[in-house]
Amino acid sequence: GDSVTQMEGPVTLSEEAFLTINCTYTATGYPSLFWYVQYPGEGLQLLLKATKADDKGSNKGFEATYRKETTSFHLEKGSVQVSDSAVYFCALSDIGSARQLTFGSGTQLTVLP
Amino acid sequence: DTGVSQDPRHKITKRGQNVTFRCDPISEHNRLYWYRQTLGQGPEFLTYFQNEAQLEKSRLLSDRFSAERPKGSFSTLEIQRTEQGDSAMYLCASSRRDTGASEQYFGPGTRLTVT
C-alpha cells in the first residue's frame, strides 16, 4: 500500500539557517503530494502541494519539488525564522476514489533566535 | 468563511463508556474525512463520506466505531465500549469534490483520553 517516509526529528536550527526535511513515498499510482504544518496548539494547515512530476509547490518561502524518478518531495526553505517552529508532515493522496491522505510521521522543527 | 469545526475539543472518559464526536465541515464541501492521530505520529485515515454516503472505511475502524453524516452536512463519530488504546486526537477534514488535488482542510481535533 501507499506509504510516506519522513526524515526523523527533532530538527533544531538557528534563525536564518537553511532547512531541508526529506520525504520519500511509495504509491501504486501517480499521487498528489502535500506538506502540512501543525503549529503549537493549532490544527493541521496545508503548506504547499504538487500534483504531477516536476511540479514545484511553494508558499511562505517554503518549496518542494515532485521528483518521480526518486519518489521524493523534500521540503526546503532558504532562511528559517523562529515563527517556523512547528511539526511538518509530508503526505500523499493517491488516485483512488476517496483520495484520502497518507501521512508521514512528522518532523518537529525548532528554530532558535 | 468559517473553517472546519469539531466538538468537543477535549473528552475524558472511563474505559467502557461510549463517546460521540461531532464535525461541521466547510459548508460547500461535500467530502468529509475522519482521521486518528496518536502522539508522535501522523494522522491515519479512518473513514470517508461523499455527501451522506460512507464510501470507504479503514481497517483501523473496528466494529466499536461508527460514523454517520445525515443529510450530507455535519458528521458524528461514535466509539462504543471505549478502550485505553482509543486515546488519541480525532481529526475531521473536508474538501470539495472538484478539487483535483484533494486539498483537505482540517479541524482542530477532539482529544480523547480514556482512563
Side-chain angles (χ1 to χ4, degrees):
Chain A
D2 297 345
S3 67
V4 176
T5 302
Q6 261 184 258
M7 168 180 170
E8 291 198 12
V11 174
T12 302
L13 296 173
S14 297
E15 203 164 25
E16 299 183 3
F18 184 84
L19 168 70
T20 299
I21 301 177
N22 291 337
C23 171
T24 58
Y25 67 89
T26 302
T28 52
Y30 298 95
S32 296
L33 301 175
F34 305 84
W35 278 99
Y36 278 81
V37 59
Q38 191 168 34
Y39 297 104
E42 298 185 17
L44 279 167
Q45 300 175 25
L46 178 65
L47 180 60
L48 54 83
K49 67 182 181 187
T51 59
K52 60 183 187 297
D54 299 325
D55 267 3
K56 178 185 283 188
S58 61
N59 186 26
K60 299 181 181 180
F62 290 90
E63 293 182 339
T65 301
Y66 190 142
R67 301 287 188 200
K68 187 169 180 292
E69 64 277 13
T70 54
T71 62
S72 65
F73 192 56
H74 305 320
L75 183 68
E76 296 182 337
K77 187 174 186 184
S79 177
V80 292
Q81 305 300 311
V82 172
S83 57
D84 294 326
S85 298
V87 182
Y88 292 82
F89 292 94
C90 185
L92 69 82
S93 170
D94 212 336
I95 59 171
S97 61
R99 292 186 171 266
Q100 70 265 33
L101 294 167
T102 299
F103 285 87
S105 57
T107 302
Q108 170 78 57
L109 169 67
T110 301
V111 181
L112 302 176
Chain B
D1 179 28
T2 58
V4 178
S5 61
Q6 292 186 244
D7 184 70
R9 295 290 305 274
H10 303 275
K11 178 70 177 179
I12 300 174
T13 192
K14 292 184 178 180
R15 187 176 55 191
Q17 297 295 304
N18 299 345
V19 294
T20 299
F21 310 142
R22 177 181 170 123
C23 169
D24 287 89
I26 293 171
S27 59
E28 66 268 26
H29 287 184
N30 57 359
R31 294 184 169 212
L32 187 146
Y33 303 80
W34 285 98
Y35 293 84
R36 181 172 69 188
Q37 185 178 18
T38 53
L39 199 61
Q41 298 299 314
E44 296 173 293
F45 169 72
L46 292 178
T47 190
Y48 156 67
F49 289 85
Q50 185 168 307
N51 300 311
E52 68 277 4
Q54 187 175 19
L55 297 184
E56 195 149 334
K57 292 193 284 188
S58 161
R59 289 171 297 177
L60 292 176
L61 211 66
S62 77
D63 56 7
R64 295 184 299 104
F65 287 69
S66 63
E68 294 181 340
R69 193 183 181 196
K71 303 178 184 178
S73 55
F74 71 92
S75 176
T76 58
L77 178 68
E78 181 183 16
I79 309 174
Q80 296 183 324
R81 305 181 304 281
T82 52
E83 302 173 356
Q84 288 189 321
D86 297 331
S87 295
M89 178 75 86
Y90 290 85
L91 299 171
C92 177
S94 69
S95 72
R96 290 171 53 172
R97 185 168 185 266
D98 59 356
T99 303
S102 187
E103 192 167 314
Q104 295 182 26
Y105 295 85
F106 283 81
T110 295
R111 181 169 297 283
L112 173 66
T113 303
V114 182
T115 62

